[in-house]
Each structure stands twice: as C-alpha cells, then as structure tokens.
Amino acid sequence: MDIQHNTTPEIGHHHHEKPKRDMSHITGWGADLDHKNRPAYPMERTPPRLDNVHWDVPEQQPVNVKVFHSTERPSITPVFGTSVPPTGLSGKIRDFAFTLSENDIRHWLLLLFADRVNMVEGLADDLKSGHIPNILGEMGIMAEVKHNPIGLAGKALAIGGAIGLIYSLRQRRKLRPWR
C-alpha cells in the first residue's frame, strides 16, 4: 500500500489532521466526494434552502401541556411533541430534573430514573384498568430463553443473589440484641 505522508503542513491545514492516504486502489473510494453523486443532491445546500418561506421565525405552537426545556435554552422550541405529557411521580421527577443543568449528571440520572418510574406507573395503570400485563412477553423473557439461555441464567442468579442478600441483611437486623 502506498501511503503518502505530508511532512510540511499546508496553509490552512491543522497540525492534528491525519496524513492523506492514497485510496485509489479501493473500488468506489470517494464516490460521494462530488456532491452531484450524492442521493440528496440538489436538496443538500449550504446555506440551507430557506427561499420563499413566509416567516423569519416559525410560528410558536400553542402550549397546552407542560413542556420541559433545558435550562441552557431561553425558551421552548417553536414546535414540540405533546403525545405524552408528564404525569404522576415520574412527571415530578422530570420536573425536578429540568431544573438542573444538562452539565449536571443528576439531570440525566433523574431522567433515567423517571423513565423506570414511568414504566411502573404504566403497569399500575394497566392493573387499574383490568388489564393484566404480559410482563414476561414484554420483557422478552421467552426470546431470552430461546436465544440467550446462559445470559438469562446469569441475570436470574444476579437477581436471586441480590434478593437473598437483602433478605439476609434484614434478618440480621432483626436478630440484633440491642434493637
């Protein structure tokens, strides 16, 4: 393979760029370098196509539900989703999470936790409406049995071990004489 190393930096090139290699021996290499050969051409434009639009800023969608937005943004975006507005405990957790900056790890951990809480709330809603959820099917347990039985056994052992550890710790607390 012929590798060309450029030891003298050219004007406008950064010192951190990798040296260019000759890839002409690979069939089709660089086929998309010419924009005319790209499937999106001529839709792809720089600057993007904004001719003949009737607005400078898109019209703001009416706010009929609670819409979370980052503390780093001054306001909500002109268009947003409203299909699943925040409700219940998970909504309160999300509400608190969006008071924190996106740089704060608690923001993301709280959003992950809120998703798990929302899942449990969904199960409770199913039970309230008389629908018994197919938890094994929804979690893909039967697929795990068929395609990953060793992994499933490992998960079962880990969960069983955690439950056994919690049970034994609770039993030890009950047996303490100074309580």
Side-chain angles (χ1 to χ4, degrees):
M1 180 180 353
D2 181 30
I3 300 175
Q4 297 176 350
H5 292 280
N6 186 1
T7 55
T8 56
E10 297 175 18
I11 296 173
H13 286 233
H14 298 284
H15 294 282
H16 301 293
E17 288 184 6
K18 291 182 179 178
K20 299 203 185 285
R21 294 179 174 180
D22 180 16
M23 299 295 187
S24 62
H25 63 284
I26 299 173
T27 305
W29 182 266
D32 59 346
L33 290 179
D34 185 359
H35 288 217
K36 292 176 185 166
N37 294 334
R38 293 182 180 178
Y41 190 84
M43 292 186 292
E44 182 180 297
R45 292 175 39 164
T46 303
R49 183 187 326 236
L50 292 175
D51 298 335
N52 302 323
V53 294
H54 65 281
W55 41 261
D56 292 328
V57 175
E59 183 179 337
Q60 178 66 52
Q61 177 180 347
V63 181
N64 300 324
V65 296
K66 174 97 177 170
V67 179
F68 295 124
H69 68 92
S70 168
T71 57
E72 283 83 15
R73 293 184 56 85
S75 61
I76 61 174
T77 57
V79 180
F80 48 84
T82 59
S83 63
V84 186
T87 58
L89 180 61
S90 63
K92 298 288 183 198
I93 294 169
R94 286 189 178 98
D95 201 20
F96 179 70
F98 275 93
T99 62
L100 304 171
S101 169
E102 290 182 359
N103 291 338
D104 191 334
I105 188 70
R106 294 176 299 171
H107 172 83
W108 301 107
L109 292 176
L110 283 168
L111 290 177
L112 289 171
F113 180 62
D115 285 346
R116 299 298 91 203
V117 169
N118 191 235
M119 181 201 67
V120 173
E121 290 172 338
L123 291 174
D125 288 343
D126 282 349
L127 292 174
K128 274 196 295 190
S129 64
H131 173 75
I132 297 174
N134 180 9
I135 293 175
L136 295 180
E138 291 173 4
M139 292 182 68
I141 298 296
M142 298 313 293
E144 286 269 346
V145 168
K146 184 176 180 182
H147 300 289
N148 188 18
I150 295 173
L152 179 63
K155 290 175 189 174
L157 283 173
I159 291 170
I163 292 172
L165 180 65
I166 291 169
Y167 178 76
S168 67
L169 290 175
R170 292 187 71 143
Q171 291 300 316
R172 281 181 59 191
R173 288 181 78 192
K174 286 181 183 175
L175 295 176
R176 287 184 188 164
W178 57 85
R179 286 195 70 206

